[in-house]
Amino acid sequence: MATETDAQRAVAVTEDSAERVHVPERSAPGADPEIVLREVPAAAAATEEVLVLDFGGQYSQLIARRIRECGVFSELLPHETSLARITERAPKALVLSGGPASVYADGAPDLRTELLDLGIPVLGICYGMQLMARELGGKVEQAPAGEFGRTQLSLRDGGGTLLDGLPAEQQCWMSHRDTVFEPPPGFDALASSPESPVAAFESRDRGLYGIQFHPEVVHTPHGTQVLTRFLRDIAGCRERWTPASVIDEQVDAIRSQVGEGRAICGLSGGVDSATAALLVHRAIGERLTCVFVDHGMMRKDEASQVIEAFRERLGVPLVHVDAADRFLDRLAGVDDPETKRKIIGEEFIRVFEEQAAEVGDAGYLVQGTLYSDVIESGGDGREAATIKSHHNVGGLPDEMEMELVEPLRTLFKDEVRAVAAELDLPDRFVWRQPFPGPGLAIRVVGGEVTRERLEILRSADAILQEEVRAAGLYRELWQSFCVLPVVRSVGVQGDERSYSYPIVIRAVTSDDAMTADWARLPYDLLERASNRIINEVPGVNRVTLDITSKPPGTIEWE
Ligand code: XMP
């Protein structure tokens, strides 16, 4: 069991948890103006954290998530992150992720050996292990055959410290062709697999550990046990981190950032902006004003639910702007998807800007940026951050010069839901499926977005939601919704010929919307939804099911 070493103590804890950094230009969703925002505070440093250095692995994000699930705060940093930045965070341990390269390939990411001499335990996973082996004098070569997928792992001599207590034979998940043939001098080989003579190694003296398999994927049944062993017994992590532990920390950080200032927050109806708003409200109370811009392309009852929950139930000051007419007027005659997005983005900004002016001197803009957005936009977001253009709430033009408040930027979506529940956000918001900023407009496809079409789509969508919820599937699905293609087909309803719109049912499962699979909805659910939509929604005479995954499709039709 590891105790804190001198070198570990020497890695000083930085007190400057609200360190300010400059965020470069960000572009608003579908909108022209480039937004230049002032500084944002970096995330508060957790007392105990484990840093994952990303060498480009497919599962790097998942490693950080799994570590957090073990109760230890973890962040993903690019592998090139400077030594100074790493040591200033005073991590309890480092994890070197997998990566797509061969350690011998030209331009393959390198390992700075200083990272192995910080006096804190280091765990190399896959490529991370191979890098460690190569740098320290082991032998890494291409195996005669790769190991991709489920692989048999056989422990040697009880599995050493890292794998102690695991079954002598077990399944794990591998994804590699290069492998370690000999561990570096002074290291013990702990396990092997059919193509990996050294599938795990360790040097207890140096606190260095390597595994060829992926403990972070669910197909490695003992993966969590391996991570827990590393985090608790080897790295000595003791505190128990939970998503809810960010509440007090963020409330303090928001108070020190905003001081006596005022903030505004655009609520979209989704869980991210709602949770960000509640945190800020807890920190600064009535000095936060939420703005809910109803652009007329929301789902059924969405506006009234937001108003009821925030203004009436949670006591958060909320301005409700009914801007349906101005949005729909501007969308008249437009059917090109990008033009639609652009118009909606611009109009949103305009409305929001007007409201911000009414709030007066609001110097702060609250956004529900998540950790996955931060990672997607280039690392930990402190050296190079750009908000992805899908962001729900519109941006603001230069001259507003608002400072961003982003209390969720260290959290994954499921963690935000845990925080939301802790903050008493009603369940229907906590578990709300994602909904695009441009709303139903991007689900009326191939023709103009009219009030009539929106009404048809909204009614059909409400029926689908009801049926999905009644079947107990709402939370299992990433998204479930209807699309209205602007075409008409012939049907027979009663004794009459009809010539009406079809409705497409789209339901997908996904972890992060980067990839998605079409959901295998039960036939009886589909039948009920189809019957009800055709019988209850005038203007529809046909219901179809979209069975396209992403890729090659996208989740939305536009
Ligand atoms: P796609 O269609 O690209 O969608 O597979 C991935 C996720 O993003 C949502 N989405 C949007 N969200 N503004 C948003 O705020 C948009 O313009 C937009 N387009 C897609 C989509 O619903 C899914 O969750």
Side-chain angles (χ1 to χ4, degrees), residues 299-438:
R299 288 166 291 190
K300 190 161 180 241
D301 299 331
E302 196 146 29
S304 56
Q305 286 174 8
V306 170
I307 295 165
E308 194 272 327
F310 277 80
R311 193 187 280 162
E312 286 151 31
R313 189 157 158 191
L314 298 161
V316 178
L318 174 74
V319 178
H320 170 219
V321 191
D322 182 354
D325 286 344
R326 59 193 275 188
F327 277 87
L328 291 174
D329 288 351
R330 282 212 56 202
L331 286 171
V334 177
D335 61 8
D336 174 65
E338 281 315 303
T339 315
K340 268 190 220 172
R341 273 199 167 80
K342 209 167 177 146
I343 290 174
I344 295 170
E346 277 170 7
E347 203 56 30
F348 189 94
I349 288 170
R350 220 158 284 156
V351 175
F352 202 85
E353 204 178 358
E354 288 164 16
Q355 294 305 318
E358 289 201 9
V359 170
D361 53 350
Y364 299 86
L365 172 67
V366 181
Q367 293 221 312
T369 314
L370 300 190
Y371 193 47
S372 32
D373 303 331
V374 173
I375 294 175
E376 265 166 38
S377 42
D380 73 345
R382 292 168 212 181
E383 280 154 356
T386 38
I387 277 183
K388 67 173 180 172
S389 62
H390 269 174
H391 208 264
N392 262 335
V393 175
L396 296 168
D398 294 7
E399 60 270 21
M400 293 197 73
E401 288 229 330
M402 300 184 96
E403 191 173 308
L404 277 187
V405 182
E406 297 178 305
L408 309 178
R409 60 180 294 123
T410 60
L411 297 183
F412 291 109
K413 186 94 176 181
D414 44 351
E415 297 169 343
V416 169
R417 291 198 157 119
V419 171
E422 193 74 20
L423 292 170
D424 289 332
L425 189 70
D427 260 15
R428 63 168 178 270
F429 288 99
V430 175
W431 293 104
R432 186 157 288 195
Q433 293 175 353
F435 185 62

Side-chain angles (χ1 to χ4, degrees), residues 2-80:
T3 51
E4 199 179 50
T5 61
D6 284 346
Q8 221 167 340
R9 278 190 292 275
V11 177
V13 177
T14 45
E15 291 299 329
D16 189 10
S17 57
E19 161 198 22
R20 291 193 182 290
V21 288
H22 180 73
V23 176
E25 298 175 349
R26 301 171 176 217
S27 46
D32 260 348
E34 288 278 279
I35 314 155
V36 180
L37 293 157
R38 296 206 307 260
E39 302 174 321
V40 296
T47 14
E48 276 192 355
E49 70 173 344
V50 167
L51 297 178
V52 179
L53 297 186
D54 182 12
F55 287 88
Q58 206 184 337
Y59 308 117
S60 303
Q61 244 195 75
L62 207 50
I63 303 175
R65 286 176 78 143
R66 292 282 177 261
I67 294 175
R68 291 180 184 197
E69 281 166 19
C70 294
V72 178
F73 186 71
S74 177
E75 281 204 60
L76 187 66
L77 299 184
H79 70 89
E80 322 80 306

Side-chain angles (χ1 to χ4, degrees), residues 439-511:
L440 298 179
I442 59 167
R443 295 177 181 169
V444 173
V445 303
E448 186 186 353
V449 180
T450 62
R451 284 176 181 74
E452 182 219 1
R453 290 170 186 162
L454 284 171
E455 199 38 53
I456 291 174
L457 179 57
R458 189 176 288 118
S459 304
D461 189 69
I463 291 171
L464 180 69
Q465 297 316 324
E466 267 176 47
E467 291 300 333
V468 166
R469 283 179 195 275
L473 292 175
Y474 186 80
R475 286 193 195 181
E476 268 177 48
L477 299 172
W478 175 266
Q479 275 170 286
S480 48
F481 56 90
C482 292
V483 178
L484 187 153
V486 182
V487 293
R488 288 174 195 258
S489 74
V490 175
V492 47
Q493 286 173 290
D495 290 329
E496 292 192 1
R497 176 186 189 274
S498 64
Y499 191 54
S500 315
Y501 293 116
I503 283 290
V504 180
I505 293 180
R506 176 80 166 137
V508 295
T509 53
S510 175
D511 282 332

